[in-house]
Amino acid sequence: MDKRILILGSNGQIGTVLTKALVDRYGYKNVFASDIREPKIQIANFEILDVTDKNKIAEAIDKHQINTIYHLAAILSANGEKNPSLTWKINHDATVNLFDLCVEKKIVTVFFPSSIAIYGPHTPKINTPQYTSFNPSTVYGISKLTGEMWAEYYHKRYGLDVRSIRYPGVIGWQSLPEGGTTDYAVEIYHGAIKNKYYNCFLKAGTKLPMIYMDDVIRATIELMEAPASRITVRSSYNLSGMSFTPQEIYESIKAHIPDFKIDYNPDFRQQIAESWNESIDDSMARNDWDWKPKFELEEMTKDMLRHLSN
Ligand code: SER
């Protein structure tokens, strides 16, 4: 059976890159991208879809004979704090409605991303285990954690093949994040290249788990292609790429752009970052579906600077 893929939230930081990867892998005719806005560049079949509009999503599933869904639409951590009730509607309510629809329409596999935002001040910060205490401090984190719990529930109760990864902060040259706490790690490269200056909204020593876009896309596709029998985690897999502080990423860039300057002016996002963890134990992803990251900070910086300078 051909995969017939619907992507919700295809214009976002990850959606933009994942949509292209899915078109390359499964063919243009099998990939249907959607978002609430038109894309800047159209790389797949596209239609406007509001993730809170269950009926419209149902129509799209029927019309395109969809059997696989990537549900990427969400409001991130920092923007979420500006409008908690809208964030809950989009991140939580729409996700539960979508899981219902997947059961109703007999969707074969659905992907739902979770995040390091589910970790909280009482979660072990170093090598955070797969199963531990979670007490997220943002509405985004709460919505992702409940989404994980619903995923597990829908799998157990209805047999829905839902798969998920707790994405670390994602860094890529292809797209910009919007409204997250880890956004600084993308903006810093743009600042370095355009102005040889970056005004960082986190403190120099705030270490967070991060991952390069190439690794994110590969992890997502590898998880979605793994045999269902190997998937033992139905909430969401811990996934690790690298960990660094603003000071460390600054130094890795400065090695290539010696007159690059930085200031640190922490804002409300500092508190969010401090509630998260520093590094992740992803041994379950490694064991279950052979996950292994390829990019560390140095290689990522070289690759980012090479692409962005062009
Ligand atoms: N990158 C996200 C954020 O900062 C975390 O998942 O909100």
Side-chain angles (χ1 to χ4, degrees):
M1 185 179 45
D2 260 2
K3 276 196 200 294
R4 301 280 294 170
I5 297 172
L6 176 64
I7 305 154
L8 302 166
S10 63
N11 293 351
Q13 184 198 13
I14 298 168
T16 310
V17 190
L18 186 63
T19 300
K20 183 170 183 311
L22 295 174
V23 168
D24 291 346
R25 194 161 181 88
Y26 304 111
Y28 189 92
K29 69 176 191 342
N30 292 320
V31 179
F32 298 85
S34 73
D35 206 295
I36 42 167
R37 287 162 301 191
E38 294 287 338
K40 285 198 196 107
I41 305 165
Q42 193 170 327
I43 46 180
N45 299 292
F46 178 86
E47 67 191 273
I48 298 281
L49 269 186
D50 178 342
V51 79
T52 62
D53 191 341
K54 193 176 169 186
N55 294 336
K56 278 273 163 53
I57 298 173
E59 276 170 27
I61 291 173
D62 291 343
K63 188 167 66 187
H64 306 303
Q65 295 160 306
I66 297 299
N67 54 31
T68 306
I69 295 179
Y70 289 80
H71 168 38
L72 305 175
I75 297 180
L76 294 186
S77 60
N79 274 357
E81 294 310 287
K82 295 175 189 159
N83 196 340
S85 63
L86 179 67
T87 303
W88 189 250
K89 196 169 150 209
I90 289 173
N91 293 11
H92 174 272
D93 298 351
T95 300
V96 180
N97 282 340
L98 181 72
F99 289 168
D100 272 335
L101 206 50
C102 288
V103 173
E104 192 187 310
K105 300 284 181 192
K106 301 191 169 49
I107 293 299
V108 179
T109 318
V110 56
F111 179 79
F112 153 78
S114 185
S115 158
I116 53 170
I118 65 151
Y119 309 127
H122 304 300
T123 307
K125 277 206 181 294
I126 317 276
N127 276 331
T128 307
Q130 175 70 39
Y131 299 107
T132 180
S133 73
F134 306 111
N135 53 318
S137 58
T138 59
V139 65
Y140 171 70
I142 299 170
S143 69
K144 287 296 177 185
L145 184 57
T146 48
E148 287 191 10
M149 294 162 87
W150 282 119
E152 204 167 27
Y153 180 88
Y154 273 74
H155 176 70
K156 218 180 344 177
R157 170 118 195 228
Y158 304 108
L160 182 64
D161 186 354
V162 46
R163 304 180 182 200
S164 177
I165 288 172
R166 294 170 181 155
Y167 288 142
V170 176
I171 299 153
W173 52 269
Q174 301 94 327
S175 53
L176 288 169
E178 213 180 308
T181 301
T182 57
D183 295 13
Y184 92 85
V186 179
E187 291 171 4
I188 193 170
Y189 288 104
H190 290 267
I193 291 201
K194 273 194 221 132
N195 311 316
K196 297 197 167 138
Y197 174 75
Y198 183 61
N199 184 12
C200 186
F201 59 74
L202 294 185
K203 288 183 190 165
T206 314
K207 187 177 261 186
L208 288 171
M210 301 278 187
I211 190 165
Y212 197 41
M213 186 67 86
D214 293 41
D215 277 342
V216 164
I217 302 299
R218 192 168 50 80
T220 307
I221 293 177
E222 283 175 7
L223 171 64
M224 286 294 271
E225 289 191 348
S229 57
R230 292 192 68 186
I231 310 298
T232 65
V233 175
R234 291 297 182 167
S235 50
S236 189
Y237 277 97
N238 268 10
L239 193 88
S240 172
M242 59 187 98
S243 292
F244 56 79
T245 63
Q247 177 78 29
E248 286 163 345
I249 191 173
Y250 166 69
E251 272 157 20
S252 86
I253 298 171
K254 197 170 151 65
H256 301 267
I257 306 175
D259 48 352
F260 177 37
K261 298 267 181 305
I262 192 163
D263 282 321
Y264 299 99
N265 286 299
D267 66 14
F268 73 102
R269 289 168 281 192
Q270 179 64 33
Q271 213 182 342
I272 298 178
E274 278 173 18
S275 77
W276 295 351
N277 64 340
E278 291 187 6
S279 58
I280 296 168
D281 173 358
D282 62 358
S283 49
M284 294 205 67
R286 288 172 188 257
N287 290 337
D288 286 3
W289 42 278
D290 307 320
W291 164 246
K292 200 169 185 290
K294 287 194 179 147
F295 281 83
E296 279 293 340
L297 178 58
E298 298 311 322
E299 298 89 74
M300 176 176 79
T301 291
K302 269 192 222 140
D303 206 57
M304 283 292 287
L305 294 177
R306 184 166 60 83
H307 282 287
L308 290 178
S309 319
N310 290 334

